[in-house]
Amino acid sequence: MRFRLLYPVILIIFTFSCKNDESQPTNTTANVDPIIYFSSNNSAPRTSALFSINSDGNNKIQLDYFPSNLEIRELDYCPATKKIVYTSTDSSSSDIFTINLDGSNNIPITNDTIHRSHPKFSSDGSKILFLSVDFPSGTRNAFIMNSDGSNIFQIPRRGLDIWDADWSPDDQKIIFTGGKDIYSMNIDGSELVKLTNDTLYALEPQISPDGAKVTFGAYSILNTEHVDLYKMDLDGKNLINLSNFETKNYFFYVRNLNWSKNGKKVVFTSDKDRNIRDGQRDLFVTNSDGSGLVKLDTLI
């Protein structure tokens, strides 16, 4: 059975930066990159608040010029263009929007009855990778389009349901979960490679900025009590459990992973410190070897 988080009481998506961008200013005093993240309430009217925080936990800022009545489901930010791409959902569909970081120029780039999710900018911000569910079949597909919504094309799914997907740093490959395993393939559907074995149920693989490593959440078929944070080489070798968390929960999630631009840190959300599973999570950062775990924010 594949577990999925279905209750969006608080949803946190964040990014240090687009992988290949070198223009993102860095706080050289603290030697950290800012993390952009948001939380959404689960009551009507739904609202979302956008925040920035350093990866050492300092300098938390609410980006209050971002429209407070904007309902965000998933988000990615590209410093190369200073744009945010996000999904916003109503009762019938989930469309993709872009908006400038200062809150201006909020534009829907899709507008139909198709459910879309998990938009991700390419390294230069010119293209967007996203996922879509086909109804009533329930098949899950990956697509790429220009950042203005034009020229949509489907990546061949090769018989797999694509749950989560990320660009390679050169934008020529994607890495994704197909069922419970992680795969990589070219964006034309060629060179499909299975990267994980049959003992893990993987979630949200994220490629490091240098393209050498992959982090992901996973639970083992031998221990389904909780999701831990894993790292492996891009070819699937040298698999390491970075967390081995002791937890108050009988089952908890590690979700919303992302790498720092220099590849030295990984940021994620987890409900590991919660007494009950209520959909609420906290924001954490750790060194890429699993050491130095720090809780950055408590999300309520």
Side-chain angles (χ1 to χ4, degrees):
M1 179 179 179
R2 185 178 182 85
F3 293 92
R4 284 284 166 181
L5 188 62
L6 298 178
Y7 40 85
V9 177
I10 289 187
L11 179 61
I12 308 299
I13 307 291
F14 44 80
T15 182
F16 285 99
S17 71
C18 294
K19 291 184 175 68
N20 289 343
D21 177 69
E22 298 299 330
S23 63
Q24 172 71 5
T26 300
N27 184 333
T28 55
T29 301
N31 192 27
V32 293
D33 296 308
I35 301 165
I36 296 173
Y37 65 104
F38 74 90
S39 63
S40 296
N41 67 355
N42 200 31
S43 58
R46 291 185 61 92
T47 59
S48 301
L50 191 68
F51 299 90
S52 172
I53 194 170
N54 289 349
S55 58
D56 60 2
N58 293 320
N59 199 31
K60 178 183 176 181
I61 300 171
Q62 181 171 353
L63 305 177
D64 54 5
Y65 46 78
F66 203 75
S68 61
N69 62 345
L70 193 64
E71 179 188 347
I72 305 172
R73 290 287 181 166
E74 294 138 346
L75 171 153
D76 191 32
Y77 170 63
C78 186
T81 59
K82 293 184 172 58
K83 285 187 176 292
I84 292 169
V85 60
Y86 70 94
T87 56
S88 185
T89 304
D90 60 26
S91 59
S92 61
S93 66
S94 179
D95 283 308
I96 297 176
F97 295 73
T98 58
I99 188 170
N100 294 334
L101 187 59
D102 63 5
S104 64
N105 205 28
N106 185 30
I107 299 173
I109 58 174
T110 64
N111 185 18
D112 51 38
T113 60
I114 297 174
H115 182 86
R116 296 177 175 87
S117 65
H118 299 85
K120 293 245 181 160
F121 278 121
S122 60
S123 58
D124 63 358
S126 65
K127 297 186 182 298
I128 296 170
L129 169 70
F130 66 93
L131 306 182
S132 180
V133 181
D134 179 67
F135 294 105
S137 69
T139 57
R140 306 179 66 92
N141 303 288
F143 296 81
I144 294 174
M145 64 182 173
N146 294 338
S147 60
D148 63 1
S150 63
N151 295 329
I152 298 177
F153 73 90
Q154 181 177 342
I155 299 174
R157 54 191 296 268
R158 300 290 298 273
L160 296 167
D161 281 332
I162 300 177
W163 283 86
D164 310 294
D166 189 28
W167 295 93
S168 63
D170 63 3
D171 301 328
Q172 297 305 303
K173 290 180 178 287
I174 63 167
I175 189 168
F176 63 96
T177 52
K180 66 182 180 62
D181 292 303
I182 297 177
Y183 296 82
S184 67
M185 70 177 175
N186 296 332
I187 59 174
D188 64 3
S190 63
E191 297 186 22
L192 177 69
V193 179
K194 182 180 177 183
L195 301 178
T196 54
N197 57 44
D198 294 327
T199 63
L200 289 176
Y201 289 76
L203 304 165
E204 298 185 2
Q206 297 289 309
I207 304 177
S208 61
D210 63 3
K213 304 287 183 181
V214 179
T215 55
F216 58 98
Y219 59 93
S220 169
I221 61 174
L222 304 176
N223 177 15
T224 60
E225 291 184 352
H226 56 257
V227 176
D228 271 312
L229 177 65
Y230 288 82
K231 181 177 71 172
M232 65 181 179
D233 296 342
L234 189 58
D235 60 5
K237 297 179 180 178
N238 298 318
L239 178 67
I240 302 171
N241 187 330
L242 296 179
S243 54
N244 288 305
F245 288 133
E246 295 181 4
T247 176
K248 300 175 183 178
N249 276 328
Y250 74 97
F251 191 95
F252 71 94
Y253 280 91
V254 171
R255 301 301 300 266
N256 309 122
L257 285 70
N258 215 326
W259 289 84
S260 64
K261 185 175 66 175
N262 60 14
K264 294 182 178 181
K265 292 182 181 291
V266 178
V267 65
F268 62 93
T269 60
S270 176
D271 59 351
K272 76 179 190 67
D273 292 338
R274 303 285 180 169
N275 290 314
I276 59 174
R277 290 191 64 213
D278 55 6
Q280 298 178 344
R281 286 167 281 163
D282 299 310
L283 183 65
F284 295 87
V285 67
T286 184
N287 294 328
S288 61
D289 63 1
S291 65
L293 179 68
V294 176
K295 182 187 289 187
L296 296 178
D297 203 2
T298 297
L299 307 169
I300 57 175

